[in-house]
Amino acid sequence: MPDEVLLWRASMFPHRPGIPIPRTPKVAFLFLTVGPLPLGPLWERFFHGHEKLFNIYVHSLPGFEPDHARSSVFFGRHIPSQETKWGDISMCDAERRLLANALLDYENERFVLVSESCAPLWNFTFTYDYLINSHHSFIGVFDDPGPFGRGRYSEPMLPEVTLSNWRKGAQWFEVNRELAIYIVADTIYYPKFRDFCKPVCYVDEHYLPTMMFIEFAAHLANRSVTAVDWSRGGSHPGIFGHEDAVQYVDGRRWDRSCMYNGEPGHICYLFARKFSPNSLEPLLQHSTF
């Protein structure tokens, strides 16, 4: 389906309350990738034995030909894709494309965006329970008054988006079905960001955080469940490889500084990035699943 048809179909939802059919809530894992999945064996181990509780959708660059074995959880899970560019509206298009494909399966209840450089920190059961039982969706939302936050705002976004509502956050989100439907159905904020958040605005850092803050602030945990290390400075996060991947994982796993369902002292992160391909072996050896 072309995007226009796909987004239209995915935006439909029942108005009648209750679910009169058997349904097992699933977590949809949305892989936004360039091509190969270098950490694929780690994810295979993570998913093994839980096939009834998840679905996988992979968006890679056009022309990439996956060669997964038929026994792989990734076999046949690539969706029709289009070209994407870092910091461009095409990144948001890919995210909406992934969400829309996942929304067509009514059993998908939670939707988490990950990349080929992401790794799970906990076993599947803990991750599933954490997401399914959460009262909130996990999108990083904060007000940055500096040049890389409010300095990217453009007045032609008025009246839908005001400077006081302008927000910033990481693109690696996790949302429930209600918010996912709103994202694919949006025709109010998307045109504003498409037309006026460029070229150094980095739309993928502002579109969802701003829209969700305006429409669903009370539904958000105001944080991501994917850990990223920005301590090294620069426009890209730190990359971890064979020598330091395990140390980074251990540090992120035991961060208990977050609120969860209104209670403090809970684990913050379920996933982490960015890991280089040569981190696979130590991560496999260190995994608890």
Side-chain angles (χ1 to χ4, degrees):
M1 289 178 282
D3 280 359
E4 184 177 352
V5 176
L6 175 65
L7 295 174
W8 174 74
R9 288 189 61 181
S11 67
M12 299 178 183
F13 67 95
H15 290 275
R16 186 179 180 89
I19 304 176
I21 58 176
R23 175 178 181 267
T24 300
K26 295 183 179 181
V27 176
F29 288 82
L30 316 177
F31 284 81
L32 181 58
T33 76
V34 174
L37 294 168
L39 301 183
L42 182 68
W43 284 101
E44 296 271 5
R45 182 181 294 182
F46 170 78
F47 287 122
H48 181 70
H50 304 282
E51 286 73 13
K52 295 182 179 180
L53 299 177
F54 71 87
N55 280 312
I56 293 172
Y57 304 84
V58 184
H59 186 292
S60 54
L61 291 180
F64 173 72
E65 296 291 339
D67 59 352
H68 305 296
R70 285 187 171 272
S71 59
S72 170
V73 294
F74 295 104
F75 181 80
R77 304 312 302 169
H78 283 68
I79 68 169
S81 63
Q82 295 186 27
E83 196 77 25
T84 58
K85 181 180 178 182
W86 178 66
D88 185 71
I89 192 67
S90 60
M91 294 293 285
C92 297
D93 291 338
E95 293 168 9
R96 297 196 338 153
R97 203 171 292 124
L98 281 162
L99 280 172
N101 275 275
L103 281 166
L104 296 180
D105 187 329
Y106 194 62
E107 289 193 314
N108 288 330
E109 183 61 33
R110 308 289 302 208
F111 306 78
V112 57
L113 181 72
V114 292
S115 75
E116 73 270 18
S117 67
C118 285
L121 300 180
W122 304 92
N123 64 37
F124 181 88
T125 299
F126 179 85
T127 302
Y128 176 86
D129 289 344
Y130 192 104
L131 297 178
I132 290 292
N133 294 320
S134 175
H135 301 162
H136 301 91
S137 291
F138 298 94
I139 298 179
V141 176
F142 66 96
D143 183 9
D144 180 356
F148 303 113
R150 290 198 177 200
R152 296 173 177 173
Y153 174 75
S154 178
E155 285 192 357
M157 291 188 173
L158 289 170
E160 290 82 3
V161 180
T162 65
L163 179 60
S164 62
N165 284 333
W166 183 256
R167 290 298 183 270
K168 183 178 181 179
Q171 74 177 114
W172 309 105
F173 62 79
E174 190 282 335
V175 294
N176 64 17
R177 190 172 184 89
E178 178 186 5
L179 270 62
I181 291 174
Y182 190 90
I183 292 169
V184 303
D186 171 44
T187 57
I188 298 173
Y189 301 99
Y190 176 85
K192 292 287 185 174
F193 281 85
R194 179 196 60 206
D195 296 340
F196 303 114
C197 186
K198 57 184 183 182
V200 292
C201 175
Y202 302 110
V203 61
D204 51 297
E205 294 183 3
H206 295 282
Y207 169 55
L208 286 186
T210 299
M211 179 174 67
M212 291 291 104
F213 174 75
I214 295 172
E215 298 290 343
F216 294 99
H219 295 239
L220 305 179
N222 289 339
R223 64 180 176 91
S224 175
V225 285
T226 299
V228 183
D229 181 15
W230 290 100
S231 64
R232 305 178 186 183
S235 57
H236 295 280
I239 299 176
F240 299 88
H242 188 275
E243 301 299 325
D244 54 5
V246 169
Q247 181 181 0
Y248 177 57
V249 164
D250 285 343
R252 301 290 74 76
R253 287 185 79 214
W254 298 110
D255 185 342
R256 296 177 180 266
S257 61
C258 294
M259 300 282 290
Y260 178 78
N261 289 347
E263 297 293 332
H266 282 266
I267 287 169
C268 295
Y269 301 113
L270 303 178
F271 316 98
R273 66 185 305 268
K274 297 174 77 171
F275 294 101
S276 64
N278 68 4
S279 67
L280 175 61
E281 182 181 349
L283 290 177
L284 280 173
Q285 293 177 354
H286 189 66
S287 70
T288 58
F289 42 87

